[in-house]
Amino acid sequence: MTLEYNYSDTKILNTDKEKKFLFSLDNTIQNKKVITINNAKSSNHIAYTDLKNIYLNFNKVKLDSNFEYKKFLTLIKALNYHEYAHIKYTKYKNSKVPYNIKSELNILEDQRIEGLLTQKYYVIKDYFKLLSNEYITKKLDYNTYILLYGRRLI
């Protein structure tokens, strides 16, 4: 089956259907919270959460997917799972923590939450592997080893 959808021409991406799908997905696999999917307010981050809502940078993912719709859907689903794992498992509030420490804590937390979610939903591991390949291994820097080592068991 070929998935055809030409969205390379549009400057502003209409993601209403994708948001509705992710909303249904998130609220199907959990039962306590109502999670909404929003466009990211910051262009600096590809995805983030306030532990109540998920924010995805759909336009950045569109570029990262080289305008291939199937890859686009897979990447936003993977990013959604990652942020959903934060909502489900992250328990600390770190608003008073300095940014550099918060960043290092988040590296550890990312690895922990992905491990916990894949223990419960094993098939999600493939999405996390895709994220690692797409966003970690392509930008090799001093954090690459640390970012990948904690995910070695996924």
Side-chain angles (χ1 to χ4, degrees):
M1 181 173 105
T2 305
L3 194 63
E4 293 184 23
Y5 181 75
N6 184 4
Y7 68 116
S8 60
D9 300 338
T10 58
K11 192 165 191 159
I12 299 173
L13 184 60
N14 182 349
T15 56
D16 292 340
K17 290 179 182 175
E18 290 83 358
K19 287 182 202 176
K20 186 176 179 181
F21 167 74
L22 295 171
F23 172 82
S24 298
L25 177 70
D26 292 342
N27 290 292
T28 299
I29 60 177
Q30 58 87 36
N31 58 10
K32 291 184 183 176
K33 301 173 183 166
V34 176
I35 301 169
T36 60
I37 310 298
N38 303 290
N39 289 325
K41 297 173 186 170
S42 167
S43 61
N44 297 335
H45 297 92
I46 194 152
Y48 58 93
T49 182
D50 59 10
L51 301 181
K52 294 178 185 165
N53 304 291
I54 294 173
Y55 299 90
L56 300 172
N57 190 333
F58 289 99
N59 287 322
K60 172 97 172 79
V61 177
K62 175 183 168 182
L63 294 174
D64 292 345
S65 66
N66 296 319
F67 302 98
E68 296 173 32
Y69 190 62
K70 185 175 180 181
K71 185 174 181 182
F72 169 78
L73 288 177
T74 306
L75 285 173
I76 62 168
K77 194 172 176 184
L79 290 163
N80 176 70
Y81 280 139
H82 175 85
E83 297 307 329
Y84 171 76
H86 273 296
I87 291 172
K88 186 164 180 65
Y89 298 113
T90 299
K91 300 298 179 206
Y92 64 87
K93 292 186 179 182
N94 54 11
S95 58
K96 295 180 183 178
V97 177
Y99 179 78
N100 59 337
I101 295 173
K102 183 177 169 181
S103 177
E104 300 302 320
L105 283 173
N106 193 53
I107 289 172
L108 298 173
E109 182 66 2
D110 285 349
Q111 297 164 7
R112 185 182 81 83
I113 62 162
E114 287 179 4
L116 289 170
L117 195 62
T118 56
Q119 284 176 356
K120 188 167 185 173
Y121 303 103
Y122 187 73
V123 294
I124 292 176
K125 72 176 177 57
D126 293 331
Y127 288 97
F128 290 148
K129 286 179 182 178
L130 173 71
L131 284 180
S132 294
N133 288 335
E134 190 66 32
Y135 293 109
I136 297 174
T137 59
K138 287 187 178 179
K139 73 165 205 184
L140 298 174
D141 63 16
Y142 69 95
N143 275 333
T144 303
Y145 177 75
I146 297 166
L147 291 167
L148 290 175
Y149 185 76
R151 291 173 169 92
R152 72 195 181 285
L153 301 176
I154 293 177

